[in-house]
């Protein structure tokens, strides 16, 4: 489509509660996304996953624009007081253009940013400059073929066996973002034959680490995932993230931040769908009238705009709780993630319906017109699944609402 997309959020929603130290971050992120991501975003969304398809130009461009520094304290990063809130603003702006790249950013800068707070100082000093510059690519590995929502140590098949000077890791992780090009990975392992877990920072170039072929997915094709296999991989003792045997706490703290980040991504993709829908309602004529004159769509999109306002406010509140030192940000983190990602799917469906047949087309061959709705529709679904399936998050909310003594 040739007409520029008007951003309805700029006139409907207002950053009235944003702290001063992050008020400029949205503008910075929007400029970076327009410069480094937007020109290649549609190509990224359509090409099949492969090692060669990793979105290097966008990945490096966003790093060079300073977006990877946002989650980190000085002297490495931007040193913002509200780092999680600012990072979520960046995630929303990235997702507005590419939900896939928001997933890449989440893997590089949200999950690992939180996990690395548990690293020993000299380890952080060694890896953070490369992460922030984009010279080092990071992955985060908790999921296994038979362990995803359930990360209790007894469910884990990846095992870290203690040795005199470290650990030997054996096992397999699945659906690991950035794995095909990663230099480092944070790995959740069962601690030997105990009922505890340990989180380790593993060098992906270590002997015994192999990465499978990229998974071929319905959506999020720019967020390339693959299995990682560990075969007697040696990890130094000082690369434990947090206290050995207490790795589940490290993983859950990281995933709590990830949930808020995915909520922000849901808001970003929902906003893009809403803006495309409004553009179509203003331009499409049907039975001699603008489609936007039809009261059904007026009311439907007014409802969606209200829900989008609620979703954005929810993720920002959860982010602020994390910035203030709350370990989990619950129940707001689960509320924000489940609500925003459901809304992304609802708005993608509504926007596609408004576009009719054009909404389901990657390209109209006769004219060369391209439409993004089929991409958004494919991408939105995974947001309801990863980093805590929405059904599991409803249980998390219910446990706080009703009590664990009743819900289990």
């Amino acid at each position: 489509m040739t007409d520029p997309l008007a951003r309805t959020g700029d006139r409907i929603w207002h950053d009235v509660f944003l702290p001063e130290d992050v008020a400029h971050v949205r503008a910075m992120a929007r400029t970076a996304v327009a410069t480094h991501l937007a020109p290649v975003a549609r190509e990224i969304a359509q090409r099949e996953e492969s090692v060669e398809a990793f979105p290097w130009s966008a990945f490096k461009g966003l790093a060079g624009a300073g977006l990877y520094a946002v989650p980190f304290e000085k002297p490495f990063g931007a040193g913002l007081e509200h780092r999680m809130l600012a990072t979520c603003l960046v995630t929303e702006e990235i997702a507005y253009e590419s939900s896939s790249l928001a997933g890449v950013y989440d893997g590089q800068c949200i999950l690992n940013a939180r996990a690395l707070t548990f690293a020993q100082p000299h380890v952080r000093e060694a890896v953070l400059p490369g992460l922030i510059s984009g010279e080092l690519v990071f992955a985060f590995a908790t999921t296994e073929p038979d362990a995803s929502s359930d990360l209790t140590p007894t469910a884990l098949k990846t095992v870290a066996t203690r040795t005199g000077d470290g650990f030997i890791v054996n096992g397999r992780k699945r659906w690991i973002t950035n794995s095909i090009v990663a230099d480092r990975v944070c790995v959740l392992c069962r601690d030997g034959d105990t009922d505890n877990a340990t989180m380790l920072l593993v060098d992906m170039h270590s002997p015994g680490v192999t990465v499978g072929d990229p998974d071929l997915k319905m959506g999020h094709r720019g967020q390339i995932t693959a299995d990682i296999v560990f075969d007697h991989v040696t990890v130094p003792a000082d690369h434990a993230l947090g206290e050995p045997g207490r790795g589940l706490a490290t993983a859950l703290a990281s995933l709590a931040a990830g949930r808020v980040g995915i909520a922000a991504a849901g808001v970003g993709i929902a906003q893009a769908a809403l803006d495309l829908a409004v553009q179509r309602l203003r331009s499409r004529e049907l039975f001699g009238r603008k489609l936007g004159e039809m009261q059904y769509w007026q009311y439907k999109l007014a409802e969606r705009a209200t829900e989008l306002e609620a979703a954005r406010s929810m993720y920002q509140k959860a982010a602020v709780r994390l910035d203030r030192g709350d370990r989990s940000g619950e129940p707001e983190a689960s509320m924000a993630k489940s609500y925003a990602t459901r809304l992304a799917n609802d708005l993608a469906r509504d926007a596609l319906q408004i576009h009719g047949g054009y909404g389901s087309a990657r390209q109209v061959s006769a004219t060369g017109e391209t439409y993004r709705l089929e991409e958004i529709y494919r991408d939105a679904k995974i947001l309801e699944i990863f980093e805590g399936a929405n059904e599991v998050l409803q249980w998390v909310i219910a446990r706080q609402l009703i009590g664990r003594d009743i819900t289990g």
Side-chain angles (χ1 to χ4, degrees):
M1 303 181 71
T2 57
D3 294 339
L5 186 60
R7 299 183 71 129
T8 62
D10 290 344
R11 67 174 187 272
I12 297 296
W13 188 81
H14 307 93
D15 288 332
V16 294
F17 293 121
L18 284 188
E20 290 185 7
D21 68 325
V22 298
H24 70 288
V25 170
R26 186 183 295 279
M28 179 186 75
R30 188 170 297 185
T31 298
V33 167
T35 303
H36 302 289
L37 174 55
V40 295
R42 305 290 71 78
E43 177 191 352
I44 290 170
Q46 298 300 341
R47 63 194 182 201
E48 189 169 273
E49 295 96 331
S50 68
V51 175
E52 296 74 25
F54 186 79
W56 279 116
S57 63
F59 182 87
K60 294 283 191 179
L62 297 180
L67 298 192
Y68 298 179
V70 171
F72 296 98
E73 73 283 0
K74 290 182 176 180
F76 309 106
L80 300 171
E81 180 182 356
H82 297 88
R83 293 191 293 273
M84 187 64 207
L85 177 59
T87 302
C88 286
L89 292 180
V90 172
T91 304
E92 181 189 338
E93 290 297 325
I94 294 173
Y96 184 87
E97 196 61 57
S98 171
S99 189
S100 287
L101 263 292
V104 172
Y105 184 75
D106 176 58
Q108 179 83 352
C109 291
I110 297 181
L111 295 170
N112 284 298
R114 184 54 60 100
L116 289 171
T117 62
F118 295 88
Q120 294 191 27
H122 71 278
V123 173
R124 287 167 53 79
E125 291 171 8
V127 300
L128 284 186
L131 185 159
I132 290 167
S133 69
E135 294 303 311
L136 294 178
V137 182
F138 273 69
F140 184 88
T142 56
T143 301
E144 298 182 359
D146 297 314
S148 181
S149 294
D150 179 7
L151 293 177
T152 54
T154 53
L156 297 174
K157 300 297 188 294
T158 300
V159 177
T161 302
R162 300 197 195 199
T163 65
D165 55 359
F167 305 86
I168 300 295
V169 178
N170 289 279
R172 178 185 291 267
K173 294 295 183 179
R174 178 152 292 172
W175 306 120
I176 307 306
T177 297
N178 299 342
S179 56
I180 59 165
V181 295
D183 299 288
R184 303 287 188 277
V185 58
C186 297
V187 186
L188 181 66
C189 311
R190 186 169 181 172
D191 194 336
D193 59 0
T194 72
D195 290 337
N196 300 315
T198 292
M199 195 87 175
L200 300 173
L201 178 63
V202 179
D203 187 337
M204 289 286 288
H205 306 292
S206 300
V209 178
T210 57
V211 179
D213 293 331
D215 304 309
L216 304 181
K217 309 186 302 301
M218 177 177 74
H220 267 225
R221 293 180 181 175
Q223 183 184 359
I224 302 174
T225 65
D227 282 16
I228 305 177
V229 177
F230 303 92
D231 184 7
H232 292 85
V233 177
T234 300
V235 181
D238 61 359
H239 279 52
L241 300 175
E243 183 180 341
R246 297 181 60 96
L248 185 59
T250 302
L252 293 179
S254 302
L255 289 168
R259 287 174 187 168
V260 185
I262 297 305
V267 168
I269 199 170
Q271 184 71 66
L274 178 64
D275 291 353
L276 287 165
V278 169
Q279 182 183 60
R280 188 68 171 173
L281 291 177
R282 291 181 56 83
S283 61
R284 170 69 165 150
E285 291 192 2
L286 191 65
F287 303 117
R289 304 166 58 199
K290 295 288 187 184
L291 192 56
E293 293 182 57
M294 296 185 175
Q295 197 172 70
Y296 173 85
W297 287 119
Q298 293 175 8
Y299 284 10
K300 174 61 71 176
L301 290 198
E303 179 183 10
R304 295 299 188 215
T306 303
E307 292 170 332
L308 190 53
E309 162 75 9
R312 185 176 280 118
S313 297
M314 247 189 285
Y315 92 65
Q316 293 193 359
K317 181 182 177 184
V320 169
R321 287 200 63 194
L322 292 177
D323 281 328
R324 290 180 177 177
D326 186 273
R327 188 178 69 85
S328 68
E330 297 292 2
E332 287 92 337
S334 290
M335 289 178 174
K337 195 270 186 184
S338 57
Y339 187 82
T341 59
R342 177 178 58 80
L343 177 61
N345 280 269
D346 288 344
L347 256 167
R349 186 171 56 252
D350 289 341
L352 196 153
Q353 190 73 14
I354 287 168
H355 280 72
Y358 290 98
S360 66
R362 293 193 302 274
Q363 179 174 304
V364 180
S365 296
T367 63
E369 294 171 280
T370 58
Y371 292 83
R372 189 187 166 196
L373 261 302
E374 66 86 28
E375 168 199 329
I376 289 177
Y377 195 70
R378 287 187 291 106
D379 283 352
K381 183 57 197 172
I382 192 61
L383 301 181
E384 294 187 300
I385 298 172
F386 62 12
E387 292 185 37
N390 284 2
E391 293 81 4
V392 174
L393 301 188
Q394 296 303 311
W395 179 58
V396 172
I397 297 166
R399 292 177 79 185
Q400 297 208 24
L401 177 67
I402 303 171
R404 296 190 180 192
D405 58 325
I406 300 296
T407 61

